[in-house]
Amino acid sequence: MQKGNSMSTVSYEKDGRIARITLNRPDVLNAINSDMPQDLADCVERANADQGVHVIVLAGAGRAFSAGYDLTAYAQEPGGNDVTQDMPWDPMKDYAFMMRNTELFMSLWRSYRPVVCKIHGHALAGGSDIALCSDLIVMADDAEIGYMPVRVWGCPTTAMWVYRIGPEMAKRMLFTGDKIDGKEAARIGLVHKSVPVDALDKEVEDLAERMCSVPVNQLMMQKMVINQAIEAMGLANTQRLATILDGITRHSPEGLNFKNRAEEMTWKHAVRERDQGTFDWTANRPINAPK
């Protein structure tokens, strides 16, 4: 295995015909900070520039693939930042920041080399945005995927849900913000396959090795044809709308109430209330609190 440069948030290695890209902030469950999107795209570019690479395997270091955006920095820390501006906010400034991240995540989609994503632990919120830009996803049975910020403070900017599982199932996921395990994700067609966690590495390796026996140009052509079919459905316009609306969710009255709650009570407390449905973000009080 040829060791590559280890970036601040993403590591790169070449292993025969496989490029291994690993999200590398394991101490915070590979939470996304301002550096990770660019580091990820740089690794994809490096793999695409190497004619010896046939397939990219994308994974996460430590206990999870990715738990999403780093809420300690973006939600809990007092005051404005790139994700929640001080009011009045500039929608186009927000759009420019988030569309940059969306485009960098989409380097996986645009990659000339097919991307196999391996999910263990969690692929949540922004972590699911990254995973769903891959070509094939293999999950552990007990891993979880979902976009909980649709309950408050978010809209999935890569907007891949509807293209993978159709409108009704996408609505089921994005109207509730529920998490589902690997078995359910495979059943509804969100991911390619789900296997027991102790079989995950072998399943991904077998798939990647099988693909590695195909010439690079053949892989590239088949990916271009399939991606073109989805892009013709209006993927770029869907992502543009989703990224604009994502900014609105974070600067709406409810979004600002979530940010204030995270500052006051910690982001873990605010997220627990969000996911359990015990807080009224419009009234800005616990649902069962006296009026």
Side-chain angles (χ1 to χ4, degrees):
M1 182 180 294
Q2 177 184 336
K3 293 285 185 179
N5 293 333
S6 182
M7 300 183 182
S8 59
T9 68
V10 182
S11 66
Y12 181 95
E13 296 175 342
K14 183 181 176 183
D15 183 8
R17 293 184 168 189
I18 299 174
R20 302 187 185 278
I21 298 176
T22 305
L23 307 183
N24 194 29
R25 301 186 73 212
D27 53 324
V28 289
L29 300 181
N30 300 315
I32 302 164
N33 63 6
S34 58
D35 294 327
M36 183 178 284
Q38 185 64 63
D39 289 349
L40 173 64
D42 289 346
C43 286
V44 173
E45 181 179 6
R46 180 174 176 180
N48 277 266
D50 187 337
Q51 287 301 307
V53 169
H54 288 231
V55 176
I56 295 170
V57 171
L58 175 66
R63 295 183 291 120
F65 176 76
S66 174
Y69 277 89
D70 191 338
L71 296 188
T72 299
Y74 290 128
Q76 186 172 303
E77 288 297 317
N81 53 54
D82 288 330
V83 168
T84 304
Q85 299 174 34
D86 293 324
M87 300 299 282
W89 70 295
D90 182 341
M92 291 298 96
K93 179 180 178 182
D94 184 276
Y95 174 78
F97 172 77
M98 289 308 299
M99 182 50 80
R100 168 188 175 272
N101 286 1
T102 301
E103 287 294 318
L104 292 171
F105 295 160
M106 284 290 286
S107 64
L108 299 164
W109 175 265
R110 295 188 301 270
S111 169
Y112 295 151
R113 308 297 186 263
V115 181
V116 179
C117 181
K118 177 169 62 177
I119 295 178
H120 72 293
H122 306 287
L124 303 177
S128 70
D129 270 336
I130 294 174
L132 295 178
C133 289
S134 303
D135 298 302
L136 291 165
I137 301 172
V138 181
M139 284 184 71
D141 288 343
D142 62 353
E144 292 185 317
I145 189 169
Y147 203 96
M148 306 88 69
V150 294
R151 300 185 60 82
V152 71
W153 217 62
C155 178
T157 63
T158 59
M160 286 294 184
W161 293 85
V162 67
Y163 297 100
R164 282 183 171 267
I165 55 177
E168 185 153 352
M169 195 57 72
K171 289 177 181 178
R172 179 261 179 271
M173 293 299 298
L174 300 184
F175 288 172
T176 64
D178 288 344
K179 297 175 285 188
I180 56 174
D181 64 19
K183 290 182 179 180
E184 179 69 3
R187 187 190 71 79
I188 66 176
L190 183 65
V191 304
H192 163 60
K193 197 169 186 178
S194 174
V195 297
V197 66
D198 57 1
L200 181 62
D201 288 344
K202 184 177 187 304
E203 187 70 33
V204 170
E205 293 307 303
D206 287 349
L207 178 60
E209 289 291 345
R210 177 64 174 164
M211 294 163 61
C212 280
S213 65
V214 178
V216 168
N217 56 11
Q218 287 291 126
L219 293 168
M220 182 176 173
M221 286 186 278
Q222 310 318 320
K223 178 168 178 172
M224 287 176 66
V225 169
I226 297 168
N227 282 12
Q228 169 59 27
I230 295 176
E231 289 164 5
M233 298 179 193
L235 175 60
N237 287 335
T238 304
Q239 290 183 336
R240 187 176 299 112
L241 176 61
T243 303
I244 291 170
L245 294 180
D246 183 59
I248 294 174
T249 68
R250 286 177 276 103
H251 295 88
S252 67
E254 292 81 1
L256 294 175
N257 288 341
F258 175 84
K259 174 72 163 66
N260 292 335
R261 188 73 169 169
E263 290 181 12
E264 176 188 0
M265 303 295 293
T266 76
W267 71 263
K268 290 183 179 180
H269 184 97
V271 163
R272 184 165 56 249
E273 292 177 321
R274 177 197 69 190
D275 295 353
Q276 293 177 352
T278 58
F279 199 87
D280 184 332
W281 301 102
T282 302
N284 199 26
R285 63 180 182 85
I287 287 178
N288 295 322
K291 293 184 179 180

